[in-house]
Amino acid sequence: MIPVARVREVILAACPQLPPAAVPVADALGRVTAAPVVAGHDVPSFPNSAMDGFAVRASDTAAAPVALDLVGTAAAGAPPGVEVGPGQAVRIMTGAVVPAGADAIVMVERTSPGPEGRVTIEVRASPGDHIRRPGEDLRAGQILFEPGTELGPGHLGVLASVGAETVVAIPPARVGVLSTGDELTAGIAPLVPGQIRDSNRPMLLALVARAGCIPVDLGTVPDDEIAVTAAIQRGVAGCDAILTSGGVSVGDFDYVKTVLDRLGDMHWWQIAVKPAKPLAFGTVHGTPVFGLPGNPVSSLVSFELFARPALRQMMGYRTLFRPEVPAVADEALRRRPDGKVHMVRVIATADADGRLHVRSSGGQGSHLLRSMALANALALLPDGDGVAEGGTVKVMLLT
Ligand code: AMP
Ligand code: MG
């Protein structure tokens, strides 16, 4: 059996980053930048008020309280159309252009209305008070984000603030998902004996979408060499990577193995991990292909351990792996020595002190998908007897 870390190395070496492209900012959430992002103009682009209040000449307020003549109102969104002369003030709203002549804003809470046509300023203002200077936030030509930045909602806001239309980033990988097996049915019709519903395909399509890729449904094909060949060829032609499930074990009808061996340059691994021990990986016409196991839990764990990091690398992410953190086992998590790391489906919760605690989420057979669905983490039990109640265990967080 080959260790998980070695398998990851081989896979990552065969999954280079996709070429960058100009991505519309509207589609850029979650993308990773591939060139420095530069501000096209200053933000703010004009001096504006940080408060609702009054624009004044600071020198006029030296002897506050003082009454100033009210000569107009400046609202956000339009040039003020008035100037502030000596002894004058303009009512101003947050975000409005500071009128010429004014050099300070006095917040409305530090003023009182009147007498007649005037406003009484109750405090001394200093030049610059509550004025947002041009370029105070961002300067034209400034590098906003270095290459390798994962764009989140805040980044999209910054890009919008400088009027960026596109950003040079790694596009999402198009990832094909194919199920194989004569026993599989995709519809909702009653099952005939021997049939099962194809749960891997919707699950893997969802995992792919969650990983930030574009899922491409390649359908369900029977255990038939011609059908499997056609589906894989169609997949590698239109996708950046493909995932198949089923047919990679040692059964009589495991044609995925035969087909991939003929079309591609494949590794067939027995990995020192449970579940997810068998894995096929290689490239077909340069496209990475992951032959995931058929058992649904194995398929999901295999995706998490091996496919997701590779897809993230292709999309330029700097962190590839799920975080692994220590947790307290609130119940014993027992296992037998067998040379493998066991990935135990657990529910992790944080206590009031921020310490993580884990409990099994249910049965651990690799066909028992519900306990996988309920789990939010996988406890990593190294080869041995497991961990006693109250012991510390490393967990891989899935959310
Ligand atoms: P295989 O690797 O093809 O031998 O499949 C291993 C087990 O996983 C068998 O019990 C299959 O019926 C089951 N299986 C394979 N593909 C799927 C799928 N797409 N959805 C649900 N179960 C599957
Ligand atoms: Mg099969």
Side-chain angles (χ1 to χ4, degrees):
M1 288 184 295
I2 177 171
V4 168
R6 178 67 194 137
V7 170
R8 283 175 158 172
E9 275 173 21
V10 175
I11 291 176
L12 290 175
C15 294
Q17 189 177 294
L18 297 172
V23 177
V25 170
D27 299 332
L29 181 63
R31 304 277 59 90
V32 176
T33 60
V37 179
V38 175
H41 60 69
D42 282 355
V43 177
S45 56
F46 55 88
N48 69 90
S49 178
M51 293 284 172
D52 294 324
F54 293 87
V56 300
R57 292 170 174 255
S59 55
D60 283 348
T61 67
V66 58
L68 301 177
D69 291 335
L70 211 41
V71 294
T73 298
V82 284
E83 286 191 14
V84 175
Q88 296 180 334
V90 164
R91 184 190 303 279
I92 191 164
M93 309 305 145
T94 305
V97 182
V98 175
D103 62 2
I105 307 296
V106 178
M107 59 201 280
V108 71
E109 293 86 345
R110 302 278 178 274
T111 68
S112 50
E116 193 57 28
R118 311 180 98 192
V119 58
T120 300
I121 307 295
E122 289 161 354
V123 291
R124 277 177 72 157
S126 303
D129 277 2
H130 305 306
I131 292 178
R132 300 164 175 163
R133 286 171 287 106
E136 185 180 313
D137 184 1
L138 313 171
R139 279 252 169 245
Q142 176 191 343
I143 294 182
L144 300 176
F145 307 124
E146 298 290 346
T149 302
E150 180 180 344
L151 298 173
H155 299 89
L156 299 196
V158 170
L159 290 171
S161 76
V162 295
E165 258 183 309
T166 60
V167 60
V168 178
I170 315 295
R174 290 172 51 82
V175 181
V177 174
L178 174 71
S179 287
T180 68
D182 279 346
E183 72 277 35
L184 301 179
T185 172
I188 55 165
L191 297 174
V192 302
Q195 268 189 335
I196 62 166
R197 301 192 195 278
D198 178 0
S199 48
N200 287 350
R201 195 164 42 92
M203 178 182 79
L204 289 167
L205 287 166
L207 285 165
V208 161
R210 256 247 166 118
C213 312
I214 299 173
V216 178
D217 190 350
L218 300 175
T220 306
V221 295
D223 291 315
D224 171 276
E225 208 174 321
I226 292 171
V228 172
T229 303
I232 288 174
Q233 280 178 329
R234 185 161 51 87
V236 296
C239 299
D240 299 308
I242 66 173
L243 312 174
T244 67
S245 73
V248 295
S249 305
V250 290
D252 283 352
F253 307 102
D254 287 340
Y255 288 116
V256 175
K257 204 173 156 125
T258 320
V259 170
L260 286 178
D261 260 338
R262 188 157 42 73
L263 295 181
D265 177 14
M266 302 299 295
H267 298 271
W268 300 93
W269 285 307
Q270 296 294 317
I271 306 167
V273 65
K274 182 181 173 180
K277 183 173 158 212
L279 176 67
F281 171 78
T283 52
V284 174
H285 308 315
T287 303
V289 177
F290 295 83
L292 305 178
N295 270 312
V297 177
S298 305
S299 223
L300 187 149
V301 171
S302 199
F303 177 88
E304 285 290 345
L305 288 178
F306 306 112
R308 184 177 178 276
L311 297 172
R312 285 180 66 80
Q313 177 168 278
M314 290 170 74
M315 294 186 291
Y317 294 103
R318 299 283 160 99
T319 53
L320 304 181
F321 302 116
R322 297 282 197 188
E324 291 179 5
V325 296
V328 181
D330 279 355
E331 62 186 12
L333 300 173
R334 287 290 168 216
R335 54 158 295 174
R336 293 279 168 75
D338 60 2
K340 299 180 220 165
V341 176
H342 288 203
M343 312 279 299
V344 177
R345 283 150 259 173
V346 291
I347 297 173
T349 46
D351 65 21
D353 299 323
R355 241 189 332 253
L356 271 190
H357 293 255
V358 294
R359 282 181 173 280
S360 163
S361 63
Q364 298 290 325
S366 58
H367 57 304
L368 303 175
L369 189 52
R370 180 169 174 270
S371 59
M372 184 72 247
L374 297 177
N376 60 0
L378 291 166
L380 278 60
L381 300 184
D383 198 19
D385 300 313
V387 57
E389 180 183 335
T392 300
V393 62
K394 205 197 280 178
V395 300
M396 184 174 120
L397 301 176
L398 297 177
T399 51

Short mmCIF file of all heavy atoms in Angstrom, two decimals, residues 204-253:
data_model
loop_
_atom_site.label_atom_id
_atom_site.label_comp_id
_atom_site.label_asym_id
_atom_site.label_seq_id
_atom_site.Cartn_x
_atom_site.Cartn_y
_atom_site.Cartn_z
N LEU A 204 -20.93 13.88 -6.43
CA LEU A 204 -19.65 14.38 -6.94
C LEU A 204 -19.82 15.69 -7.70
O LEU A 204 -18.96 16.57 -7.63
CB LEU A 204 -18.98 13.31 -7.84
CG LEU A 204 -18.45 12.10 -7.07
CD1 LEU A 204 -18.11 10.96 -8.02
CD2 LEU A 204 -17.22 12.48 -6.23
N LEU A 205 -20.95 15.83 -8.42
CA LEU A 205 -21.22 17.11 -9.10
C LEU A 205 -21.30 18.23 -8.06
O LEU A 205 -20.79 19.33 -8.27
CB LEU A 205 -22.52 17.04 -9.91
CG LEU A 205 -22.45 16.19 -11.20
CD1 LEU A 205 -23.86 15.92 -11.73
CD2 LEU A 205 -21.61 16.89 -12.26
N ALA A 206 -21.92 17.93 -6.91
CA ALA A 206 -22.03 18.94 -5.85
C ALA A 206 -20.67 19.23 -5.22
O ALA A 206 -20.34 20.38 -4.93
CB ALA A 206 -23.02 18.46 -4.79
N LEU A 207 -19.87 18.20 -5.01
CA LEU A 207 -18.53 18.41 -4.45
C LEU A 207 -17.69 19.28 -5.38
O LEU A 207 -16.94 20.16 -4.95
CB LEU A 207 -17.83 17.06 -4.23
CG LEU A 207 -18.33 16.24 -3.03
CD1 LEU A 207 -17.84 14.80 -3.14
CD2 LEU A 207 -17.85 16.86 -1.71
N VAL A 208 -17.82 19.01 -6.68
CA VAL A 208 -17.08 19.76 -7.69
C VAL A 208 -17.51 21.24 -7.66
O VAL A 208 -16.69 22.15 -7.68
CB VAL A 208 -17.33 19.13 -9.08
CG1 VAL A 208 -17.01 20.08 -10.20
CG2 VAL A 208 -16.55 17.83 -9.22
N ALA A 209 -18.83 21.46 -7.57
CA ALA A 209 -19.35 22.83 -7.53
C ALA A 209 -18.84 23.54 -6.27
O ALA A 209 -18.39 24.68 -6.32
CB ALA A 209 -20.87 22.83 -7.57
N ARG A 210 -18.90 22.85 -5.14
CA ARG A 210 -18.41 23.42 -3.89
C ARG A 210 -16.93 23.76 -3.93
O ARG A 210 -16.47 24.67 -3.25
CB ARG A 210 -18.59 22.39 -2.77
CG ARG A 210 -19.69 22.71 -1.93
CD ARG A 210 -19.57 23.08 -0.55
NE ARG A 210 -20.87 23.62 -0.21
CZ ARG A 210 -21.65 23.10 0.70
NH1 ARG A 210 -21.25 22.09 1.42
NH2 ARG A 210 -22.81 23.62 0.94
N ALA A 211 -16.19 23.00 -4.70
CA ALA A 211 -14.75 23.24 -4.80
C ALA A 211 -14.45 24.43 -5.71
O ALA A 211 -13.30 24.78 -5.92
CB ALA A 211 -14.04 21.98 -5.29
N GLY A 212 -15.50 25.04 -6.26
CA GLY A 212 -15.30 26.23 -7.10
C GLY A 212 -15.14 25.92 -8.57
O GLY A 212 -14.77 26.79 -9.36
N CYS A 213 -15.41 24.67 -8.96
CA CYS A 213 -15.27 24.26 -10.37
C CYS A 213 -16.64 24.33 -11.05
O CYS A 213 -17.66 24.47 -10.40
CB CYS A 213 -14.77 22.83 -10.47
SG CYS A 213 -13.37 22.44 -9.43
N ILE A 214 -16.62 24.20 -12.38
CA ILE A 214 -17.87 24.08 -13.14
C ILE A 214 -18.15 22.59 -13.32
O ILE A 214 -17.38 21.89 -13.99
CB ILE A 214 -17.74 24.77 -14.51
CG1 ILE A 214 -17.45 26.25 -14.32
CG2 ILE A 214 -19.00 24.54 -15.34
CD1 ILE A 214 -17.15 26.98 -15.62
N PRO A 215 -19.24 22.08 -12.71
CA PRO A 215 -19.53 20.66 -12.87
C PRO A 215 -20.10 20.37 -14.25
O PRO A 215 -20.93 21.12 -14.76
CB PRO A 215 -20.57 20.38 -11.78
CG PRO A 215 -21.07 21.70 -11.33
CD PRO A 215 -20.19 22.79 -11.85
N VAL A 216 -19.64 19.29 -14.86
CA VAL A 216 -20.14 18.88 -16.17
C VAL A 216 -20.65 17.44 -16.02
O VAL A 216 -19.89 16.54 -15.68
CB VAL A 216 -19.02 18.93 -17.24
CG1 VAL A 216 -19.53 18.44 -18.59
CG2 VAL A 216 -18.45 20.34 -17.36
N ASP A 217 -21.94 17.27 -16.24
CA ASP A 217 -22.56 15.95 -16.03
C ASP A 217 -22.31 15.07 -17.25
O ASP A 217 -22.83 15.34 -18.33
CB ASP A 217 -24.07 16.15 -15.80
CG ASP A 217 -24.74 14.88 -15.34
OD1 ASP A 217 -24.10 13.80 -15.39
OD2 ASP A 217 -25.91 14.96 -14.93
N LEU A 218 -21.52 14.03 -17.07
CA LEU A 218 -21.24 13.11 -18.18
C LEU A 218 -22.15 11.89 -18.15
O LEU A 218 -21.99 10.96 -18.95
CB LEU A 218 -19.77 12.67 -18.14
CG LEU A 218 -18.73 13.79 -18.27
CD1 LEU A 218 -17.32 13.23 -18.08
CD2 LEU A 218 -18.83 14.49 -19.62
N GLY A 219 -23.09 11.87 -17.19
CA GLY A 219 -24.12 10.83 -17.18
C GLY A 219 -23.69 9.54 -16.51
O GLY A 219 -22.65 9.44 -15.86
N THR A 220 -24.57 8.55 -16.69
CA THR A 220 -24.36 7.21 -16.13
C THR A 220 -24.19 6.25 -17.28
O THR A 220 -25.01 6.27 -18.21
CB THR A 220 -25.62 6.80 -15.33
OG1 THR A 220 -25.90 7.82 -14.37
CG2 THR A 220 -25.43 5.49 -14.61
N VAL A 221 -23.16 5.44 -17.27
CA VAL A 221 -23.00 4.47 -18.35
C VAL A 221 -22.92 3.05 -17.79
O VAL A 221 -22.46 2.86 -16.67
CB VAL A 221 -21.75 4.75 -19.24
CG1 VAL A 221 -21.88 6.07 -19.98
CG2 VAL A 221 -20.47 4.70 -18.42
N PRO A 222 -23.40 2.08 -18.58
CA PRO A 222 -23.35 0.68 -18.12
C PRO A 222 -21.92 0.13 -18.19
O PRO A 222 -21.02 0.78 -18.73
CB PRO A 222 -24.26 -0.04 -19.11
CG PRO A 222 -24.27 0.81 -20.33
CD PRO A 222 -24.05 2.22 -19.88
N ASP A 223 -21.73 -1.04 -17.62
CA ASP A 223 -20.44 -1.71 -17.69
C ASP A 223 -20.26 -2.30 -19.08
O ASP A 223 -20.49 -3.48 -19.33
CB ASP A 223 -20.37 -2.82 -16.62
CG ASP A 223 -20.31 -2.25 -15.21
OD1 ASP A 223 -19.53 -1.30 -14.98
OD2 ASP A 223 -21.06 -2.73 -14.34
N ASP A 224 -19.89 -1.43 -19.99
CA ASP A 224 -19.78 -1.79 -21.39
C ASP A 224 -18.59 -1.02 -21.94
O ASP A 224 -18.53 0.21 -21.83
CB ASP A 224 -21.07 -1.40 -22.13
CG ASP A 224 -20.96 -1.54 -23.62
OD1 ASP A 224 -20.45 -0.60 -24.26
OD2 ASP A 224 -21.34 -2.60 -24.13
N GLU A 225 -17.65 -1.74 -22.51
CA GLU A 225 -16.38 -1.13 -22.89
C GLU A 225 -16.57 0.02 -23.87
O GLU A 225 -15.93 1.07 -23.75
CB GLU A 225 -15.47 -2.21 -23.50
CG GLU A 225 -14.02 -1.88 -23.29
CD GLU A 225 -13.09 -3.00 -23.75
OE1 GLU A 225 -13.43 -4.19 -23.52
OE2 GLU A 225 -12.05 -2.67 -24.32
N ILE A 226 -17.49 -0.17 -24.83
CA ILE A 226 -17.69 0.87 -25.85
C ILE A 226 -18.31 2.12 -25.24
O ILE A 226 -17.89 3.24 -25.49
CB ILE A 226 -18.55 0.31 -27.01
CG1 ILE A 226 -17.73 -0.77 -27.75
CG2 ILE A 226 -18.98 1.41 -27.98
CD1 ILE A 226 -18.52 -1.57 -28.77
N ALA A 227 -19.32 1.88 -24.37
CA ALA A 227 -20.00 3.03 -23.74
C ALA A 227 -19.04 3.78 -22.82
O ALA A 227 -19.01 5.03 -22.80
CB ALA A 227 -21.21 2.54 -22.95
N VAL A 228 -18.24 3.06 -22.05
CA VAL A 228 -17.29 3.71 -21.14
C VAL A 228 -16.25 4.49 -21.95
O VAL A 228 -15.92 5.64 -21.63
CB VAL A 228 -16.62 2.65 -20.22
CG1 VAL A 228 -15.49 3.28 -19.41
CG2 VAL A 228 -17.65 2.02 -19.27
N THR A 229 -15.77 3.90 -23.02
CA THR A 229 -14.77 4.57 -23.87
C THR A 229 -15.34 5.88 -24.43
O THR A 229 -14.69 6.93 -24.36
CB THR A 229 -14.36 3.66 -25.06
OG1 THR A 229 -13.87 2.44 -24.52
CG2 THR A 229 -13.28 4.31 -25.91
N ALA A 230 -16.56 5.80 -24.96
CA ALA A 230 -17.17 6.99 -25.57
C ALA A 230 -17.34 8.10 -24.53
O ALA A 230 -17.04 9.27 -24.80
CB ALA A 230 -18.52 6.63 -26.18
N ALA A 231 -17.81 7.72 -23.33
CA ALA A 231 -18.05 8.73 -22.30
C ALA A 231 -16.75 9.38 -21.84
O ALA A 231 -16.68 10.61 -21.65
CB ALA A 231 -18.79 8.11 -21.12
N ILE A 232 -15.72 8.59 -21.69
CA ILE A 232 -14.44 9.16 -21.23
C ILE A 232 -13.84 10.05 -22.32
O ILE A 232 -13.33 11.14 -22.05
CB ILE A 232 -13.47 8.03 -20.80
CG1 ILE A 232 -13.97 7.44 -19.47
CG2 ILE A 232 -12.04 8.56 -20.65
CD1 ILE A 232 -13.22 6.23 -18.99
N GLN A 233 -13.94 9.63 -23.57
CA GLN A 233 -13.40 10.45 -24.65
C GLN A 233 -14.15 11.78 -24.78
O GLN A 233 -13.54 12.83 -24.97
CB GLN A 233 -13.41 9.69 -25.98
CG GLN A 233 -12.23 8.72 -26.03
CD GLN A 233 -12.17 7.87 -27.27
OE1 GLN A 233 -13.22 7.54 -27.84
NE2 GLN A 233 -10.98 7.50 -27.69
N ARG A 234 -15.47 11.70 -24.62
CA ARG A 234 -16.28 12.92 -24.66
C ARG A 234 -15.87 13.81 -23.48
O ARG A 234 -15.70 15.02 -23.61
CB ARG A 234 -17.76 12.53 -24.55
CG ARG A 234 -18.74 13.65 -24.69
CD ARG A 234 -20.12 13.08 -25.05
NE ARG A 234 -20.56 12.01 -24.15
CZ ARG A 234 -21.21 12.20 -23.00
NH1 ARG A 234 -21.52 13.42 -22.62
NH2 ARG A 234 -21.57 11.19 -22.24
N GLY A 235 -15.67 13.22 -22.34
CA GLY A 235 -15.30 13.97 -21.13
C GLY A 235 -13.97 14.67 -21.26
O GLY A 235 -13.87 15.87 -21.01
N VAL A 236 -12.94 13.96 -21.68
CA VAL A 236 -11.62 14.59 -21.73
C VAL A 236 -11.56 15.65 -22.82
O VAL A 236 -10.78 16.60 -22.73
CB VAL A 236 -10.45 13.57 -21.89
CG1 VAL A 236 -10.37 12.67 -20.68
CG2 VAL A 236 -10.55 12.79 -23.17
N ALA A 237 -12.41 15.52 -23.84
CA ALA A 237 -12.41 16.53 -24.91
C ALA A 237 -12.98 17.86 -24.42
O ALA A 237 -12.55 18.91 -24.86
CB ALA A 237 -13.20 16.02 -26.11
N GLY A 238 -13.96 17.81 -23.52
CA GLY A 238 -14.64 19.05 -23.14
C GLY A 238 -14.35 19.53 -21.73
O GLY A 238 -14.94 20.52 -21.30
N CYS A 239 -13.46 18.86 -21.02
CA CYS A 239 -13.25 19.21 -19.60
C CYS A 239 -11.77 19.39 -19.29
O CYS A 239 -10.90 18.92 -20.01
CB CYS A 239 -13.82 18.11 -18.70
SG CYS A 239 -15.59 17.85 -18.90
N ASP A 240 -11.52 20.07 -18.17
CA ASP A 240 -10.15 20.23 -17.68
C ASP A 240 -9.72 19.05 -16.82
O ASP A 240 -8.53 18.84 -16.59
CB ASP A 240 -10.04 21.52 -16.85
CG ASP A 240 -10.37 22.74 -17.69
OD1 ASP A 240 -9.77 22.89 -18.77
OD2 ASP A 240 -11.24 23.54 -17.27
N ALA A 241 -10.69 18.30 -16.31
CA ALA A 241 -10.41 17.10 -15.51
C ALA A 241 -11.68 16.28 -15.51
O ALA A 241 -12.77 16.83 -15.70
CB ALA A 241 -10.02 17.46 -14.08
N ILE A 242 -11.58 14.96 -15.33
CA ILE A 242 -12.80 14.18 -15.14
C ILE A 242 -12.68 13.23 -13.96
O ILE A 242 -11.59 12.79 -13.58
CB ILE A 242 -13.29 13.44 -16.42
CG1 ILE A 242 -12.35 12.35 -16.86
CG2 ILE A 242 -13.55 14.39 -17.56
CD1 ILE A 242 -12.96 11.53 -18.00
N LEU A 243 -13.86 12.98 -13.38
CA LEU A 243 -13.98 12.05 -12.26
C LEU A 243 -14.90 10.93 -12.72
O LEU A 243 -16.01 11.20 -13.20
CB LEU A 243 -14.64 12.72 -11.05
CG LEU A 243 -14.12 14.08 -10.59
CD1 LEU A 243 -15.03 14.62 -9.46
CD2 LEU A 243 -12.69 13.96 -10.08
N THR A 244 -14.43 9.69 -12.59
CA THR A 244 -15.35 8.58 -12.81
C THR A 244 -15.55 7.91 -11.46
O THR A 244 -14.71 8.05 -10.57
CB THR A 244 -14.77 7.54 -13.80
OG1 THR A 244 -13.65 6.89 -13.18
CG2 THR A 244 -14.34 8.18 -15.10
N SER A 245 -16.68 7.21 -11.29
CA SER A 245 -16.80 6.41 -10.08
C SER A 245 -17.24 5.01 -10.46
O SER A 245 -18.02 4.82 -11.39
CB SER A 245 -17.76 7.04 -9.07
OG SER A 245 -19.08 6.90 -9.48
N GLY A 246 -16.69 4.05 -9.73
CA GLY A 246 -17.00 2.65 -9.97
C GLY A 246 -16.06 2.04 -11.00
O GLY A 246 -15.38 2.76 -11.75
N GLY A 247 -16.02 0.72 -10.99
CA GLY A 247 -15.31 0.00 -12.05
C GLY A 247 -13.79 0.03 -11.97
O GLY A 247 -13.13 -0.29 -12.96
N VAL A 248 -13.24 0.43 -10.83
CA VAL A 248 -11.77 0.46 -10.74
C VAL A 248 -11.23 -0.60 -9.79
O VAL A 248 -10.05 -0.60 -9.45
CB VAL A 248 -11.22 1.86 -10.33
CG1 VAL A 248 -11.54 2.88 -11.39
CG2 VAL A 248 -11.75 2.30 -8.98
N SER A 249 -12.11 -1.51 -9.35
CA SER A 249 -11.65 -2.57 -8.46
C SER A 249 -11.22 -3.79 -9.29
O SER A 249 -10.85 -3.64 -10.44
CB SER A 249 -12.75 -2.94 -7.46
OG SER A 249 -13.17 -1.79 -6.78
N VAL A 250 -11.34 -4.95 -8.70
CA VAL A 250 -10.85 -6.13 -9.39
C VAL A 250 -12.00 -7.03 -9.84
O VAL A 250 -11.80 -8.21 -10.13
CB VAL A 250 -9.87 -6.92 -8.49
CG1 VAL A 250 -8.58 -6.13 -8.32
CG2 VAL A 250 -10.49 -7.20 -7.12
N GLY A 251 -13.22 -6.45 -9.95
CA GLY A 251 -14.39 -7.23 -10.37
C GLY A 251 -14.32 -7.58 -11.86
O GLY A 251 -13.57 -6.97 -12.63
N ASP A 252 -15.14 -8.54 -12.26
CA ASP A 252 -15.13 -9.02 -13.64
C ASP A 252 -15.58 -7.98 -14.66
O ASP A 252 -15.22 -8.05 -15.82
CB ASP A 252 -16.08 -10.24 -13.78
CG ASP A 252 -15.46 -11.49 -13.20
OD1 ASP A 252 -14.25 -11.44 -12.84
OD2 ASP A 252 -16.17 -12.50 -13.11
N PHE A 253 -16.40 -7.02 -14.21
CA PHE A 253 -16.98 -6.08 -15.18
C PHE A 253 -16.45 -4.66 -14.97
O PHE A 253 -17.09 -3.68 -15.32
CB PHE A 253 -18.51 -6.13 -15.11
CG PHE A 253 -19.02 -7.53 -15.24
CD1 PHE A 253 -19.43 -8.25 -14.14
CD2 PHE A 253 -19.02 -8.15 -16.49
CE1 PHE A 253 -19.87 -9.56 -14.27
CE2 PHE A 253 -19.45 -9.47 -16.62
CZ PHE A 253 -19.87 -10.18 -15.52
#
